[in-house]
Amino acid sequence: MTIETLSATGKLKPQLVWRKWTTVKLSELYKFFGIILHMCLVKKPKLSDYWSTNPVLQSSFAAKCLPRDRFLLILRMLHLVDNATYIPKNQVGPDLILKVRPIFDRCVTQSGKAYKPGENITIDEGISPFRGRLSFRVYMKIKPHKYGVKFFVLYESGYVLNCEIYSGNQSNADNSILHIVDRLCLSFHNKGHTLYMARFYTSPDLLDYLWGKRTEAVGTVQKNRKGLPRDLVGQKLKKK
């Protein structure tokens, strides 16, 4: 039920801030995101502090752009997708990042178009620190930030070529190593690239698959990796 419907039927209490809601103008959105960027540069303890008149906390930028209540209303109501397309987690085929999917996919697509890599490309995992409640939040002991959202990233010289969020076993995506690598490298197959990867990804099956896609691969491998030839496992390799 929309705010307009609730207001027309008298179901909104007089003291509720939602009674102040009006249709958002394009100029207000520009100001809204300008304040968001400002908040990335100027850190304060609380959102309301950006509109504080306390001389210790005061900064005039946010107040000149939008009133505090208007900013908070837009922040609360802003959606990137239609909620009618949401599939609950207990049903088949949920997209657990549906609410940010359009902007995430847009950023990844534009990033891939903006840079043309050389021969050598790398695939690895990254983590965005987050300690809130999230069904696919992970713990990675070896990372500086141990709790957060995990990403599979294809990059070259630190520039992201492709990226995928790990959303756990609840999603439709096949999260086997071969399929992860194949999805990330899809637009780089048959172009003569060399893929560098850590032991998490390296396996004989994946190397064979990449060879068939005219992509060479370099990576460390564990002796207990399934599919390794027995004569190779027993060898002691010389250090160069």
Side-chain angles (χ1 to χ4, degrees), residues 10-162:
K11 294 183 179 181
L12 278 181
K13 296 180 180 179
Q15 68 271 24
L16 288 179
V17 70
W18 302 113
R19 283 190 171 275
K20 299 179 181 179
W21 178 258
T22 57
T23 303
V24 179
K25 299 176 182 177
L26 182 60
S27 60
E28 288 182 308
L29 274 181
Y30 284 132
K31 293 175 182 178
F32 174 83
F33 286 112
I35 294 173
I36 295 292
L37 293 175
H38 170 67
M39 290 176 173
C40 296
L41 299 173
V42 181
K43 303 293 185 181
K44 296 190 180 183
K46 299 183 297 183
L47 280 179
S48 58
D49 290 341
Y50 289 91
W51 286 265
S52 174
T53 56
N54 186 324
V56 178
L57 297 171
Q58 187 176 22
S59 58
S60 60
F61 180 80
K64 287 181 178 178
C65 292
L66 285 174
R68 182 198 62 190
D69 287 350
R70 183 60 172 168
F71 175 85
L72 294 176
L73 277 172
I74 295 174
L75 180 65
R76 182 70 179 270
M77 298 297 289
L78 183 66
H79 279 64
L80 301 174
V81 295
D82 183 356
N83 280 348
T85 62
Y86 175 73
I87 301 175
K89 288 188 292 185
N90 58 353
Q91 296 184 16
V92 178
D95 183 358
L96 301 185
I97 63 165
L98 174 71
K99 292 190 175 183
V100 297
R101 173 67 68 185
I103 194 168
F104 175 78
D105 287 349
R106 173 74 174 175
C107 289
V108 172
T109 300
Q110 293 303 108
S111 179
K113 289 180 179 179
Y115 182 80
K116 300 300 180 184
E119 176 189 346
N120 300 322
I121 55 179
T122 304
I123 188 170
D124 204 353
E125 299 167 278
I127 190 166
S128 178
F130 182 75
R131 284 182 172 267
R133 291 185 297 176
L134 194 64
S135 62
F136 51 91
R137 189 191 69 173
V138 301
Y139 171 77
M140 299 182 70
K141 183 178 180 180
I142 63 174
K143 298 295 183 182
H145 298 285
K146 304 186 187 309
Y147 290 94
V149 179
K150 184 167 74 172
F151 293 81
F152 298 111
V153 186
L154 182 72
Y155 62 95
E156 195 253 352
S157 299
Y159 197 96
V160 175
L161 305 170
N162 202 354

Side-chain angles (χ1 to χ4, degrees), residues 165-200:
I165 296 177
Y166 172 73
S167 54
N169 296 325
Q170 304 168 71
S171 66
N172 269 341
D174 187 335
N175 288 319
S176 63
I177 293 173
L178 192 149
H179 283 87
I180 290 170
V181 174
D182 188 43
R183 289 196 299 268
L184 291 178
C185 297
L186 189 60
S187 59
F188 300 96
H189 288 326
N190 301 307
K191 294 181 179 179
H193 288 289
T194 299
L195 179 66
Y196 287 79
M197 50 193 170
R199 61 186 181 182
F200 174 78

Side-chain angles (χ1 to χ4, degrees), residues 190-226:
N190 301 307
K191 294 181 179 179
H193 288 289
T194 299
L195 179 66
Y196 287 79
M197 50 193 170
R199 61 186 181 182
F200 174 78
Y201 301 94
T202 311
S203 70
D205 290 341
L206 177 60
L207 296 178
D208 285 342
Y209 179 79
L210 292 173
W211 182 257
K213 297 292 184 178
R214 290 182 55 208
T215 301
E216 295 187 356
V218 178
T220 56
V221 64
Q222 293 175 299
K223 287 186 176 182
N224 60 356
R225 177 68 72 180
K226 184 179 178 180

